[in-house]
Amino acid sequence: MKFKRKQQKPLETAQFDLDESGEQLRAQSIDRFVDDNGLAFREGSYLLSRRGLLTGLAGTGALVVGGYVQRNTIVQALLPLVEEGGVPTQTAINSGIGRPDMWFEVPIEGPIVLYSPKVEIGQGIHTVLTQVALEELGLRPEQLVLRDVSTTRSPIFPVDSRGFGNLASTAASQSTQSAFGPLRLSAATLREMLLIEGAQQLGVSRTEVEAVDGVVRIQTNQSRMLTYGAVVAGRTDRLGNWKPPTTEVKLKSQKDFTIIGTDFPRVDGPAKVAGTAIYGFDARLPDMLFGAVVHPPRYGAKLVAGKPGSAQSMPGVTKVVIDAKANFAGVVAKTRGQAERAAAKLDLEWTGGSTNDTTSLLSLLSAVPTVPVRETGTAAEKLGDKNGAIEATYATPFAAHAHLEPVSALASVTKDHCEVWVCTQSAEPVADQVGRALKAARVVTVHPTYVGGGFGRKFSVHAAAEAARLSEAVGKPVHVGWTREQDMAFGPFRPPSQTSFRGLVSKQGKIVAIDQESRSLAMTGIPKFAINLIGFDPTAMQGQFLPYELDHYRVRAGAVPSPVPTGIWRGVGLLPNVFGVESFIDELAHSANIDPLAFRLNHLPSNDAGDRFKRVLNEVSKRSGWETSLPAGEGRGIACSGSSGATVAVVVRVRVAGKEKDKVATVQQVHVCADPGLVVNPAGAKLQLVGAVMMSLSSAFHESLTFRNGMVEQQNFDDYTILGPQGAPSVDVHLIGTGDVPGGLGEPGVGPIAAALANAIFTASGTRLRSLPLTFSAQ
């Protein structure tokens, strides 16, 4: 690992944003100083309270208060196990404690700054975090700005020996869930500290002041006030510690919320509407060049040898970089087009790699061994050889993420440092990839940009390491942006899966037993020995289990490594698993001649989880007119699932027209009811669910990747069809917000759609479709 640990010296790090023209990135330098233990910084120090809050003073005199968003240290401690087969130590697990993920800076002048590691990928997280901060701090919208955190940007805590800090990823519908509590506590603590100090400066007791619109004011004499910045400036020992309150900080009561729970305007909206928002492709630096990289002709192929060919003499070409040992070949030029045209002329020799086609890849599933992952009662014994048992197998294919923004990155490599601007969901893995790619050890700083669609694809952004290699070679900033064809070809892809069921329903309409067996190709990056050790892919388990109460239920699962790149796809296993689970429940209901809604309600447990399912199922049935009749050729299907702290139920109405295998199903209406707990921004939550519906319908109706001679065949949207505006149905979304803690919504809405659609098609046509994409011709 080629990283250099920073010593005892000032370090300039850059926080980049747009200049006044809205066209050029500019640097805002921040001085900081780190001692050997990371316990001091220029002109101040810090105190970590028992509640995990960190307070201190930045070099500019700004008060800093931060806390944990989520602890990624467990994951980091497991890296030796994944990468080298080692065993994590308790020291490794504890190494990240004391490093906040998110913090506020209160400057003497200007708005308070909230630094967040949660990347805006279109899901509206910057708006949600802004709402929470404004609510607890008592600020007007213009008094707070949110900035992304780079891997080395921190006013207090140091980066680790690899050159980057402990930042939280933006994934798995965890952003709001993980940030809500710590952010509220940090904001409330900061507010209380300002109130205590402000009261002292105003010469009154703490009980006599209040925090309103960014000022500390005396309640009985509101003309006497101090802005938050003035409170910081007026502290006598301003360079000393600001200690957290010794008593428990009181959070704002939910009944008093005026910002949380409202349709607050998107904070990223103005920049995106004006075209000034910086995505990966928009990043620019003075004197930068453009790079293009040649990727292997087959997955796993190795570069044996390479020559510049005619590329070196082509217009605009600055340098040709070929490193067979690193499996790397690329071109740097003055424009992107020049670099791409020259890269196509490189004389390269490749060997080896995958030769699989679709048939051979999918045949791997049938041979996957399975292991028990859950067992209640004696399902196998209850089912036995009984003739009344229902059997069914459901399958999902390889699929692309089909995000509209291909991966891209801008890298600037100097003697001691490498800075990268990249569209990523998690900056730390990118920093790791870049550090490994560089020939000489350097501190690596990754700046996340806006992301134009992530869905799990933007965890591994190889364009960043490619740009860094080329920048190191030419000594200038280099931008690499993949073409749509490259992005489609090198995934990683959603792995295929296959789930088989066997179940039996009693004459009284109760499920006697269900035996379930799931097989998948594991995600790339999980070592073969780890799969062999546990027997299945743990990332594929979301949505795997029935939410219903059964006395006899057995689940087995298994996975084998994939010969082609696979990775996280929105919800990971949620759509494939719920497609199987909720379709099979529908089959059992119809086999017993029981209404599918009533069948589900009759099998839900009598606990909090069961009550949540009952609420969303009953509500969605009312809103969809579940019990009303439909014209011939139309049908409704229902399905539900729970994940990431949210419970979702869906009813899909379809029309089926045509004959035999030429039948076509068209979605007429989708009704969604969700209980995600406390809803911070209802408008944003509804948009998340609408987006999940559209992406899931696209996958369920159209999307499937095929392979030939070791490579994917689909290259662009002309041969990989996604749902277009003409096929997008009307979507009605209803939220039932319960409790005082938010759940996630980016993924939960993905779960039930495919199953509800398949169930609706069966009701309308009498044909049960069990393989995605749902087409009559393929059955």
Side-chain angles (χ1 to χ4, degrees):
M1 304 244 303
K2 301 180 178 67
F3 297 92
K4 185 168 69 175
R5 183 168 181 80
K6 289 175 288 303
Q7 303 299 320
Q8 248 188 349
K9 63 179 181 179
L11 174 68
E12 293 281 337
T13 63
Q15 183 75 23
F16 279 74
D17 63 1
L18 285 171
D19 64 10
E20 289 78 1
S21 69
E23 297 177 354
Q24 180 65 47
L25 286 172
R26 65 181 176 190
Q28 298 174 334
S29 295
I30 301 166
D31 265 338
R32 66 184 175 88
F33 185 87
V34 178
D35 70 6
D36 289 336
N37 298 312
L39 298 181
F41 59 96
R42 181 174 293 183
E43 299 182 341
S45 59
Y46 81 81
L47 176 70
L48 185 67
S49 77
R50 290 191 303 273
R51 292 186 297 274
L53 293 171
L54 184 146
T55 68
L57 213 67
T60 60
L63 172 65
V64 177
V65 173
Y68 300 111
V69 175
Q70 62 187 42
R71 299 260 177 92
N72 278 357
T73 51
I74 299 296
V75 176
Q76 291 176 352
L78 291 175
L79 284 176
L81 177 66
V82 174
E83 294 178 349
E84 298 140 11
V87 178
T89 64
Q90 189 62 42
T91 301
I93 293 174
N94 292 334
S95 64
I97 296 177
R99 298 176 179 178
D101 304 290
M102 179 181 291
W103 63 91
F104 294 97
E105 286 185 2
V106 187
I108 295 172
E109 295 182 359
I112 291 176
V113 182
L114 169 58
Y115 285 97
S116 168
K118 297 297 185 180
V119 180
E120 181 58 66
I121 56 178
Q123 82 282 41
I125 188 60
H126 283 184
T127 303
V128 167
L129 298 181
T130 296
Q131 286 181 258
V132 175
L134 292 175
E135 189 75 78
E136 287 293 350
L137 277 172
L139 296 174
R140 297 191 304 271
E142 68 273 14
Q143 294 174 321
L144 180 84
V145 295
L146 185 146
R147 291 178 181 163
D148 287 310
V149 180
S150 71
T151 51
T152 57
R153 169 67 177 98
S154 169
I156 299 175
F157 63 90
V159 295
D160 65 17
S161 59
R162 292 179 295 170
F164 49 89
N166 176 36
L167 302 182
S169 298
T170 307
S173 298
Q174 293 296 310
S175 292
T176 300
Q177 289 188 85
S178 62
F180 183 77
L183 180 55
R184 286 190 71 193
L185 180 58
S186 297
T189 301
L190 173 56
R191 182 192 67 225
E192 185 63 21
M193 292 167 62
L194 291 167
L195 283 168
I196 293 171
E197 177 63 26
Q200 182 175 341
Q201 293 181 21
L202 289 168
V204 296
S205 68
R206 160 64 186 88
T207 58
E208 296 180 72
V209 295
E210 61 183 354
V212 179
D213 292 341
V215 302
V216 176
R217 72 186 186 191
I218 300 175
Q219 298 178 46
T220 58
N221 186 3
Q222 297 183 3
S223 62
R224 291 194 61 201
M225 65 179 69
L226 292 170
T227 65
Y228 290 169
V231 172
V232 174
R235 183 179 169 95
T236 304
D237 59 338
R238 188 158 55 87
L239 299 184
N241 286 332
W242 284 64
K243 296 184 179 180
T246 56
T247 58
E248 192 70 24
V249 174
K250 186 178 180 180
L251 298 176
K252 195 171 182 179
S253 174
Q254 188 171 339
K255 65 180 176 59
D256 296 326
F257 287 166
T258 59
I259 299 175
I260 293 176
T262 67
D263 294 338
F264 195 83
R266 289 283 293 252
V267 298
D268 55 328
K272 290 180 176 178
V273 171
T276 58
I278 298 296
Y279 290 82
F281 265 93
D282 301 318
R284 296 290 185 271
L285 285 174
D287 300 321
M288 64 177 281
L289 300 170
F290 293 88
V293 175
V294 180
H295 298 107
R298 296 171 302 282
Y299 304 120
K302 301 297 182 183
L303 182 61
V304 176
K307 298 178 181 179
S310 60
Q312 187 68 69
S313 59
M314 292 181 69
V317 172
T318 302
K319 193 175 185 66
V320 171
V321 181
I322 299 175
D323 185 345
K325 290 183 178 179
N327 222 43
F328 182 84
V331 174
V332 180
K334 293 180 180 179
T335 70
R336 194 183 311 282
Q338 290 172 337
E340 290 174 352
R341 287 189 290 273
K345 297 296 183 181
L346 293 177
D347 184 7
L348 305 175
E349 181 183 348
W350 302 87
T351 186
S354 170
T355 58
N356 285 284
D357 59 15
T358 307
T359 301
S360 64
L361 288 170
L362 295 181
S363 68
L364 296 174
L365 289 174
S366 60
V368 172
T370 59
V371 297
V373 293
R374 178 173 293 186
E375 185 162 8
T376 301
T378 55
E381 180 180 325
K382 289 292 181 182
L383 289 169
D385 298 324
K386 294 184 179 179
N387 295 328
I390 305 297
E391 297 185 17
T393 298
Y394 301 86
T396 59
F398 284 99
H401 293 84
H403 48 282
L404 295 185
E405 175 204 33
V407 297
S408 62
L410 169 63
S412 178
V413 180
T414 59
K415 181 180 178 181
D416 299 313
H417 196 201
C418 173
E419 288 199 89
V420 181
W421 292 264
V422 59
C423 53
T424 180
Q425 294 176 246
S426 188
E428 286 189 9
V430 174
D432 201 357
Q433 291 171 3
V434 169
R436 292 172 184 270
L438 296 174
K439 292 182 178 296
R442 291 177 175 87
V443 173
V444 177
T445 299
V446 173
H447 304 278
T449 66
Y450 280 126
V451 177
F455 315 120
R457 169 65 181 93
K458 302 287 177 65
F459 271 100
S460 182
V461 186
H462 292 96
E466 294 170 351
R469 285 182 185 274
L470 296 176
S471 176
E472 185 179 38
V474 298
K476 288 186 177 183
V478 175
H479 190 286
V480 171
W482 281 19
T483 64
R484 171 65 58 195
E485 289 75 16
Q486 288 174 322
D487 205 285
M488 188 73 77
F490 290 92
F493 315 112
R494 184 186 72 194
S497 69
Q498 179 180 291
T499 305
S500 298
F501 295 87
R502 193 161 183 258
L504 181 67
V505 181
S506 70
K507 293 180 180 179
Q508 292 75 34
K510 297 293 289 185
I511 299 175
V512 175
I514 289 180
D515 200 2
Q516 173 181 334
E517 195 166 31
S518 299
R519 296 176 169 85
S520 68
L521 298 187
M523 276 191 275
T524 302
I526 301 179
K528 184 177 181 180
F529 80 88
I531 295 295
N532 292 338
L533 182 66
I534 61 176
F536 59 92
D537 181 353
T539 66
M541 299 304 289
Q542 193 174 10
Q544 180 77 243
F545 305 113
L546 288 162
Y548 308 105
E549 194 168 52
L550 285 78
D551 292 330
H552 304 281
Y553 180 42
R554 183 176 72 168
V555 180
R556 296 177 63 86
V560 293
S562 172
V564 301
T566 53
I568 297 170
W569 192 93
R570 190 174 186 176
V572 196
L574 193 60
L575 184 146
N577 289 333
V578 177
F579 169 57
V581 165
E582 281 293 284
S583 292
F584 188 65
I585 287 295
D586 214 68
E587 293 205 47
L588 293 181
H590 283 286
S591 72
N593 293 316
I594 299 175
D595 175 81
L597 169 63
F599 190 77
R600 287 171 169 81
L601 293 172
N602 291 341
H603 284 90
L604 286 169
S606 298
N607 54 27
D608 289 343
D611 290 343
R612 291 184 77 184
F613 273 103
K614 290 173 186 176
R615 282 195 294 270
V616 295
L617 283 166
N618 283 322
E619 184 62 32
V620 80
S621 68
K622 292 176 185 177
R623 298 181 70 87
S624 65
W626 176 258
E627 296 181 353
T628 61
S629 60
L630 291 172
E634 291 193 13
R636 294 187 184 95
I638 194 168
C640 60
S641 66
S643 65
S644 303
T647 305
V648 181
V650 172
V651 170
V652 175
R653 179 166 61 90
V654 303
R655 178 185 296 133
V656 177
K659 296 181 179 181
E660 302 301 328
K661 291 184 177 293
D662 292 329
K663 290 180 180 178
V664 175
T666 306
V667 177
Q668 306 298 299
Q669 176 82 47
V670 177
H671 292 273
V672 181
C673 184
D675 179 1
L678 184 147
V679 181
V680 178
N681 189 305
K686 290 179 180 179
L687 286 176
Q688 282 278 66
L689 289 167
V690 172
V693 168
M694 297 306 174
M695 187 169 181
S696 300
L697 287 177
S698 181
S699 176
F701 263 141
H702 303 293
E703 298 181 40
S704 177
L705 290 171
T706 57
F707 296 81
R708 179 182 173 190
N709 193 29
M711 280 297 294
V712 68
E713 292 187 284
Q714 288 71 28
Q715 295 292 306
N716 210 317
F717 291 128
D718 59 341
D719 54 5
Y720 186 81
T721 303
I722 61 174
L723 184 71
Q726 70 280 1
S730 171
V731 180
D732 167 61
V733 177
H734 180 72
L735 300 173
I736 302 176
T738 60
D740 55 5
V741 177
L745 270 184
E747 295 179 345
V750 168
I753 302 298
L757 175 60
N759 296 338
I761 291 173
F762 173 78
T763 305
S765 67
T767 301
R768 179 65 68 174
L769 305 182
R770 299 188 180 95
S771 298
L772 299 187
L774 298 170
T775 59
F776 288 88
S777 59
Q779 304 303 312

